[in-house]
């Protein structure tokens, strides 16, 4: 059965390019991104892994660890990393899981047989410090993911977790936010000292609290 938001992210042990890990121990008490690739030595994946390496500081400052998975073995991953470093002008600085037995791909339902019965689709799981799944995305093999969107949604998730605001359509960092419905309007001034605008009783906007 597929994983849903709020489910616990299944734990596993696996070989990675940075040694064996227990996934939950590796996550520690921070946030995580687990994402899959159809296979090693494929063009779109090469650009995605290079982009992830270049964004390490952006993930670090959000307290997010990133780990990739593809259904090839460690030797293949290691050779491919050389190509990624060379062609994307970077240095892969995060682990890639060797999942040739498809253990992780099966646990996270990353193989969609009607799309391809062997390769994984492009899945993304954002996992919170409580090990619960906060976001799932599924892209086809032919579409590289938008890493600005992955960072944007992590910002939104963290604003909700730490500041009790939600984010409206097309929100980007710095825009006004929505006060979550569970906060009574009478309680807003004390919680949001930057002020708020009540457009409707159910639609209360406030400047981004952590700016
Ligand atoms: C790939 O790079 O993984 C890919 C590109 C086009 C179609 C399928 C896969």
């Amino acid at each position: 059965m597929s994983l849903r938001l709020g489910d616990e992210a299944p734990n596993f042990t696996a070989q990675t390019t940075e040694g064996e890990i227990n996934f939950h121990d590796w996550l520690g008490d921070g946030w995580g991104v687990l994402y899959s690739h159809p296979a090693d030595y494929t063009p779109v994946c090469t650009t995605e892994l290079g982009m992830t390496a270049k964004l390490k500081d952006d993930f670090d400052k959000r307290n997010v660890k990133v780990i990739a998975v593809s259904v090839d073995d460690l030797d293949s991953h290691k050779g491919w990393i050389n190509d990624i470093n060379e062609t994307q002008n970077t240095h892969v600085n995060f682990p890639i899981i060797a999942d040739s037995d498809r253990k992780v791909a099966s646990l996270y339902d990353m193989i969609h047989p009607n799309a391809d019965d062997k390769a994984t689709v492009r899945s993304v799981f954002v996992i919170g410090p409580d090990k619960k799944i906060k976001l799932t995305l599924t892209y086809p093999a032919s579409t590289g993911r938008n890493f600005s969107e992955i960072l944007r949604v992590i910002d939104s998730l963290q604003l909700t977790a730490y500041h009790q605001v939600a984010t409206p359509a097309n929100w980007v960092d710095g825009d006004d936010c929505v006060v979550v419905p569970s906060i009574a309007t009478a309680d807003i001034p004390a919680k949001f000292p930057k002020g708020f605008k009540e457009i409707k009783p159910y639609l209360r906007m406030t400047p981004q609290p952590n700016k």
Side-chain angles (χ1 to χ4, degrees):
M1 203 181 89
S2 61
L3 293 166
R4 295 177 174 176
L5 302 190
D7 290 353
E8 179 163 295
N11 196 20
F12 56 83
T13 55
Q15 295 297 330
T16 82
T17 50
E18 297 186 0
E20 185 176 289
I21 63 154
N22 172 291
F23 185 51
H24 283 188
D25 292 347
W26 178 83
L27 283 169
D29 56 10
W31 294 69
V33 171
L34 168 69
Y35 72 126
S36 59
H37 296 94
D40 292 0
Y41 296 103
T42 50
V44 174
C45 309
T46 300
T47 64
E48 290 191 320
L49 289 173
M51 181 56 66
T52 304
K54 289 178 184 167
L55 291 173
K56 180 167 172 49
D57 289 348
D58 296 277
F59 285 110
D60 282 352
K61 74 179 179 209
R62 292 166 172 82
N63 193 23
V64 179
K65 286 179 160 183
V66 181
I67 191 163
V69 54
S70 85
V71 292
D72 290 301
D73 65 24
L74 222 40
D75 282 346
S76 167
H77 286 357
K78 286 179 177 166
W80 184 36
I81 283 173
N82 293 332
D83 282 7
I84 297 166
N85 292 343
E86 178 196 326
T87 62
Q88 307 304 303
N89 195 25
T90 189
H91 184 81
V92 170
N93 44 26
F94 58 92
I96 307 173
I97 296 167
D99 196 37
S100 32
D101 62 1
R102 303 182 193 185
K103 185 170 81 178
V104 176
S106 302
L107 263 180
Y108 281 80
D109 197 27
M110 290 165 165
I111 295 175
H112 296 194
N114 291 328
D116 188 311
D117 60 359
K118 291 190 194 66
T120 49
V121 292
R122 294 186 196 282
S123 301
V124 182
F125 294 88
V126 176
I127 297 158
D130 57 1
K131 310 289 183 293
K132 298 280 169 52
I133 294 172
K134 307 297 181 187
L135 171 94
T136 64
L137 286 172
T138 307
Y139 278 52
S142 52
T143 305
R145 284 157 283 203
N146 183 330
F147 286 78
S148 300
E149 171 60 6
I150 294 172
L151 290 168
R152 189 191 78 93
V153 80
I154 290 169
D155 285 341
S156 173
L157 289 165
Q158 294 188 343
L159 278 167
T160 305
Y162 303 136
H163 298 284
Q164 293 184 285
V165 290
T167 55
N170 289 353
W171 172 87
V172 290
D173 190 43
D175 287 354
D176 285 354
C177 299
V178 171
V179 177
V180 295
S182 58
I183 296 180
T185 300
D187 296 334
I188 293 178
K191 285 183 185 289
F192 298 96
K194 291 181 179 174
F196 75 105
K197 194 185 295 175
E198 184 179 20
I199 298 165
K200 289 283 181 190
Y202 58 85
L203 177 57
R204 296 90 39 95
M205 305 298 294
T206 190
Q208 185 174 325
N210 61 350
K211 282 286 168 189

